[in-house]
Amino acid sequence: MAKRDFDAAAGVHRTVQAIRLEGDRRDAVVEEIAEEVPVALVYNGVPHVVVMATPADLEDFALGFSLSEGIIAGAAELGGLEIVPEQSGYSVYLSVPKQRVADIEARRRNMTARTGCGLCGAQTIEQAMRDVPKIRSAVRSIDRAAIVAAMKRLPQMQALNAATGAVHAAGWANAQGELQFVREDVGRHNALDKLIGALVSGAVDAPTGFIVVTSRASYEMVQKTAMAGIGLLAAVSAPTALAVRLARDAGLTLAGFTRGERCVVYADGAGRLTSTQDWRA
């Protein structure tokens, strides 16, 4: 896959003047805030979608989005990728098989999406609620301690959030809970897409590990995790009812409120968590 060298990380946050009010105090301060810019994905010259995102790891994002949204079946279908700075954002030009562009045209979604919009303008219920594959994860069991360890490590690897306090993160850990990849973005779906792209680009055997996220577990997060073939998703906050149903249908293990030693397991029909072997989904 041909890539153009590009360093988008240089502009992911900036300083601004602000006033901090606390009690009777009024202090002039300098604050670090996260950048948010429009990123257009263009396939074979055909504009597809514009997503508001943090301008870092855009190659990972473009690849991960293309995979998790079912635009391409695998990284081998991506013939080239080029990132072009625009006046107010970035355009990412991707080369894919002609049939893929025809599929895009068939479900035309050329519109601007809100930050982290998981549906990104799907025009029909069928497009939004597409089938996801049954999980065939290589992981047979994961101890809850591994999830605790990965989630504990996650804040330490969130450099952008440490500076700004405004972004989500998605991380991948191996079955022992060793957190090895983290991606950040103002949108939780974008962070997960960036992570998926990074795993594929790094030739990581993603199904041998699991994903931890700093957000709630919406159904789109479950959908993207399942599309990546990863069998366990642990979120800091709650899932939605639809996310739970989708996780159970896909055979994905879903944990929410993963904080400290505590988590709530909403789906684990495959019995991946060693502490829920008696689970009845």
Side-chain angles (χ1 to χ4, degrees), residues 62-207:
L63 175 57
F65 179 94
S66 301
L67 290 166
S68 71
E69 292 294 312
I71 294 172
I72 59 175
E77 290 192 349
L78 186 56
L81 184 155
E82 182 179 17
I83 301 172
V84 178
E86 307 287 1
Q87 184 173 357
S88 58
Y90 299 89
S91 292
V92 184
Y93 293 89
L94 302 100
S95 176
V96 298
K98 291 182 179 179
Q99 182 55 46
R100 294 302 185 182
V101 177
D103 293 341
I104 292 172
E105 288 288 352
R107 58 171 186 171
R108 189 67 173 168
R109 305 189 314 176
N110 184 20
M111 62 176 291
T112 300
R114 294 188 298 274
T115 297
C117 173
L119 299 183
C120 296
Q123 294 179 330
T124 68
I125 292 175
E126 289 75 16
Q127 288 175 8
M129 302 299 297
R130 67 182 184 275
D131 292 334
V132 297
K134 286 283 187 179
I135 298 295
R136 298 289 183 264
S137 174
V139 174
R140 294 298 176 223
S141 66
I142 294 176
D143 193 280
R144 183 165 59 92
I147 300 176
V148 172
M151 195 65 82
K152 183 178 180 180
R153 174 68 172 152
L154 187 56
Q156 301 171 33
M157 297 179 68
Q158 293 178 249
L160 182 56
N161 194 61
T164 67
V167 297
H168 284 295
W172 181 87
N174 62 21
Q176 290 71 49
E178 298 168 339
L179 196 61
Q180 299 183 352
F181 286 81
V182 173
R183 291 293 183 269
E184 296 181 275
D185 197 276
V186 288
R188 62 185 185 276
H189 308 102
N190 298 342
L192 183 51
D193 279 333
K194 288 179 178 181
L195 176 66
I196 292 170
L199 295 173
V200 173
S201 294
V204 176
D205 189 5

Side-chain angles (χ1 to χ4, degrees), residues 51 100 104 230 249 251:
V51 175
R100 294 302 185 182
I104 292 172
I230 298 171
D249 288 346

Side-chain angles (χ1 to χ4, degrees), residues 34-84:
E35 280 286 6
E36 179 183 31
V37 301
V39 177
L41 299 184
V42 184
Y43 294 89
N44 291 14
V46 179
H48 177 52
V49 69
V50 178
V51 175
M52 300 303 296
T54 301
D57 303 306
L58 293 183
E59 292 180 348
D60 290 339
F61 170 67
L63 175 57
F65 179 94
S66 301
L67 290 166
S68 71
E69 292 294 312
I71 294 172
I72 59 175
E77 290 192 349
L78 186 56
L81 184 155
E82 182 179 17
I83 301 172
V84 178

